[in-house]
Structures are given as structure tokens and as C-alpha cells.
Amino acid sequence: MGTQIDHIVIAAPNLEDLVSRFEKLTGVKAVAGGRHDTGTANALVPLKEPKGSYLELIGPDPEADAVTQDNFAIATTQSTEPRVAAWCVRPDDLEALAAKRGTQSQLMSRHTPEGTARTWRLILPEPGVDFAPVPFAIDWLGSPHPSKVTEPQVSVHSFTVYGHSEPDELPEPAIFQEGEPLLELVLESPKGRVNLSDL
């Protein structure tokens, strides 16, 4: 079964601050993505490499009453600083991957700033965690892909997945290293090579 990286999630307790920090570090301003029904909102950064992939900057939606116990919402509230919190693969066959993992996909959605609904199916990370070295997975169901929102200006130099066990789905350029769970992302940007741990 073929897979590729769909997106990498950078979570923070304040999305506006995260977007500002990312622009200061890389020279690239993220594009507003929209609001989720889990109480979060996001901004998008398309990637030149791997092509067809993007970064998702995510934080609590200031217009929402509260975030849910959804993994991605948890990731925005369990840390005082931005961090690379999760990553997503796009398999050739999402339902086959779900069966392999002994789970089911879930239908999810968000609304763009223009009010357009986007829907997709996800295989979620392990429930209740705020960090996920094992990738979740997505099928966009024909929705416009977020990597198309603007011309990409950054590329992945390296993406290292540290954890207790190697994920089954490890598409390039992701590499696995043993150690304490950590996702380390280094980008090539208009401001040169940057490590997102410096956010």
C-alpha cells in the first residue's frame, strides 16, 4: 500500500501568535484555513517538497466556547509553547489501512473563511494523546487539497520521528530514530534552514 505525507501539524495555545512566530522564523505568512467543529482553527503553509503536502498550524478557535477532547484540540491546550505535535499520511486506500490497524475512519469537516465546507475521512491517532509519533491518515474525498491555497515557499529538509516503535507508514522524507517520543522538523525557508523547535 502506497502512502505519502499529507501534512504535519504544529500546535500552539494561540494560533495568531503561532502564525506570527512562524513568519518571523521563516519569512512565510501562513494562509488562514478555517474553523473545526472541535473548537480549533488553523492556518496553512503549502510545501514545495514533499510536493502536495503542507504544514497545518493549529490552535484554539477564539470564537469557540471551548475545545473538545479531540486529539488535535488537546495538543493545543497541553503546552505553553508551539510544537510539532502530529503528522498525517495519505494512503492509496484509507479503508484498507483502517482494517490493517483494526480501526475505522471517521468523517470530519471544517469551514473555510469564505464559509465553504470541507469534508474528509480520518484515521485518528491513539485517543486522548496530545502527541502522535505514529501518523494518522486522511482521504480528502474530493475536497480541494490545502496544499493548493497559495504558492509554496518552504520545503522539508528533514523530518525525524523519534519513538518507542517504528510506524508502519514511513514515506519519504520521514526517517525513524529510537528514543523518547519527539517529532523534529527542519525546513528550508526564505530565511534559510530553520528548526521548528525554535518557534
Side-chain angles (χ1 to χ4, degrees):
M1 181 189 305
T3 61
Q4 67 181 89
I5 292 180
D6 187 80
H7 64 281
I8 300 170
V9 180
I10 296 93
N14 184 298
L15 180 58
E16 183 178 359
D17 179 63
L18 175 58
V19 169
S20 177
R21 288 191 189 202
F22 186 88
E23 184 175 12
K24 184 176 180 180
L25 182 67
T26 67
V28 176
K29 186 171 180 62
V31 177
R35 305 170 64 197
H36 304 102
D37 56 12
T38 55
T40 56
N42 69 4
L44 312 171
V45 181
L47 292 169
K48 287 197 267 187
E49 293 294 337
K51 189 175 181 180
S53 304
Y54 68 101
L55 305 180
E56 178 182 25
L57 281 54
I58 190 169
D61 181 356
E63 297 184 29
D65 293 333
V67 298
T68 68
Q69 290 303 300
D70 168 88
N71 291 65
F72 311 109
I74 291 172
T76 69
T77 58
Q78 296 295 310
S79 177
T80 58
E81 295 294 329
R83 59 184 168 149
V84 184
W87 62 299
C88 179
V89 296
R90 190 167 68 247
D92 296 337
D93 188 333
L94 185 76
E95 299 310 319
L97 179 58
K100 179 180 177 182
R101 291 189 178 184
T103 188
Q104 294 182 333
S105 65
Q106 296 184 28
L107 188 66
M108 300 188 74
S109 66
R110 69 171 167 86
H111 287 82
T112 68
E114 298 75 30
T116 305
R118 297 283 187 264
T119 58
W120 60 89
R121 296 200 73 86
L122 272 188
I123 299 174
L124 293 170
E126 177 187 348
V129 300
D130 61 358
F131 169 80
V134 175
F136 61 104
I138 197 165
D139 181 339
W140 283 100
L141 302 176
S143 288
H145 196 266
S147 65
K148 306 296 186 183
V149 293
T150 190
E151 193 68 25
Q153 300 180 64
V154 296
S155 297
V156 171
H157 170 74
S158 63
F159 179 54
T160 307
V161 180
Y162 295 88
H164 297 300
S165 59
E166 185 169 358
D168 291 333
E169 302 80 33
L170 201 65
E172 294 183 352
I175 60 172
F176 175 81
Q177 295 286 341
E178 293 183 356
E180 290 298 315
L182 176 70
L183 296 174
E184 183 180 62
L185 178 61
V186 179
L187 300 176
E188 297 287 358
S189 78
K191 288 194 172 183
R193 188 170 297 171
V194 296
N195 191 319
L196 289 201
S197 64
D198 293 331
L199 281 170

